[in-house]
Amino acid sequence: MNTVPEIMTELQALGSANIKAILVKHGVKEPFFGVKIGDMKPIEKRIKKDYQLAKDLYATGNADAMYLAGLIADDLRMSKTDLQAWAEQAVSDNIAGYTVPWVAAGSNYGFELALQWIDSPQEHIAAAGWSTLSNLVALKPDSELDIKLLRSLLERVEQTIHGSANRIRSIMNTFVIALGTYVSALTGDAITAAKNIGVVTVIKEGTSCKVPDAAEYINKALSRGPVKKKKTVKC
């Protein structure tokens, strides 16, 4: 049951027209079947990690298979070439915003590639870059983070967010929240930047999703006590 054709048949059987319609509104591109993430979990549990199978599933270009590939990927085995190829192929919003950043953040090349990706003129690659940075600061101990570099990136967001592409604005806002929530040395800077940025407007046609107020979100998260780093960002 763990060959690519068998898994594709399994995913197709799990597909739902209703779920597919919802995912289309959230930027998922054809081809895909419309599989609930929860319905992928038994497959993930069965396979656990499989470097080659993950690459083969991702290479199908089917967004459901690509998402599953991220769940079963052996992040530490992923090469820079692997990750670059994944970023280039991540045309669906969920793959660029979640799958690729999750795997990149768990790899040995997350920071290096994220810093390259955020300068890409291709929106989906830039989105993957900013999302990878958000995941890295949520995962890595502060002692392993370049605080000076992250502060400069925060300043870059403050200066450029309103002139950035629609999807990038949303992910930059998430980056501000991640810094303020997970990096204690930058909490104050992130709150100040969020207040200077003000309201972030993102057009989310056909969905009820809203862009959170970054300063309010950070303060609310911290009001419950110190925020622990995540053990994993995959879900």
Side-chain angles (χ1 to χ4, degrees):
M1 290 283 296
N2 290 345
T3 67
V4 170
E6 288 169 337
I7 292 171
M8 294 302 290
T9 298
E10 192 172 359
L11 290 172
Q12 184 172 16
L14 292 168
S16 159
N18 289 338
I19 297 299
K20 189 168 184 175
I22 293 169
L23 292 174
V24 166
K25 292 179 180 179
H26 285 85
V28 179
K29 306 288 195 301
E30 292 281 7
F32 70 106
F33 304 123
V35 182
K36 290 181 181 178
I37 295 170
D39 289 341
M40 293 187 192
K41 290 298 181 178
I43 306 174
E44 177 192 4
K45 186 176 180 179
R46 185 179 77 229
I47 297 170
K48 297 181 176 65
K49 288 183 181 180
D50 190 318
Y51 168 72
Q52 189 58 52
L53 180 59
K55 291 210 307 174
D56 292 343
L57 283 170
Y58 198 94
T60 66
N62 179 288
D64 293 312
M66 294 168 86
Y67 194 97
L68 177 61
L71 295 177
I72 66 168
D74 189 341
D75 303 345
L76 289 173
R77 288 192 62 189
M78 294 290 282
S79 68
K80 279 193 281 188
T81 301
D82 293 334
L83 293 164
Q84 184 63 38
W86 278 32
E88 291 172 1
Q89 297 167 43
V91 293
S92 288
D93 286 6
N94 62 335
I95 307 303
Y98 301 108
T99 300
V100 172
W102 290 343
V103 177
S107 76
N108 293 312
Y109 311 103
F111 277 111
E112 178 184 349
L113 288 174
L115 294 174
Q116 294 175 23
W117 292 344
I118 61 175
D119 289 331
S120 174
Q122 294 181 270
E123 187 176 335
H124 67 280
I125 295 178
W130 285 108
S131 189
T132 297
L133 290 169
S134 295
N135 282 289
L136 282 164
V137 302
L139 281 172
K140 301 290 186 182
D142 286 1
S143 60
E144 295 182 17
L145 299 175
D146 186 334
I147 301 300
K148 184 178 180 180
L149 173 61
L150 291 171
R151 184 177 283 115
S152 71
L153 290 170
L154 179 62
E155 292 170 357
R156 172 174 168 174
V157 168
E158 186 177 343
Q159 295 165 7
T160 63
I161 187 170
H162 291 300
S164 296
N166 194 61
R167 181 165 35 154
I168 304 301
R169 291 198 300 276
S170 179
I171 294 178
M172 281 182 165
N173 190 66
T174 300
F175 174 68
V176 175
I177 290 171
L179 282 185
T181 304
Y182 290 103
V183 186
S184 57
L186 293 175
T187 296
D189 299 79
I191 291 172
T192 299
K195 290 178 178 178
N196 290 340
I197 289 168
V199 177
V200 177
T201 302
V202 176
I203 301 170
K204 294 179 177 284
E205 295 178 354
T207 76
S208 59
C209 297
K210 295 181 180 179
V211 179
D213 179 291
E216 183 180 310
Y217 193 102
I218 293 165
N219 284 319
K220 186 175 181 180
L222 296 176
S223 70
R224 296 190 286 267
V227 178
K228 295 181 179 179
K229 296 283 185 172
K230 293 183 177 181
K231 293 181 179 180
T232 180
V233 288
K234 295 186 181 184
C235 60

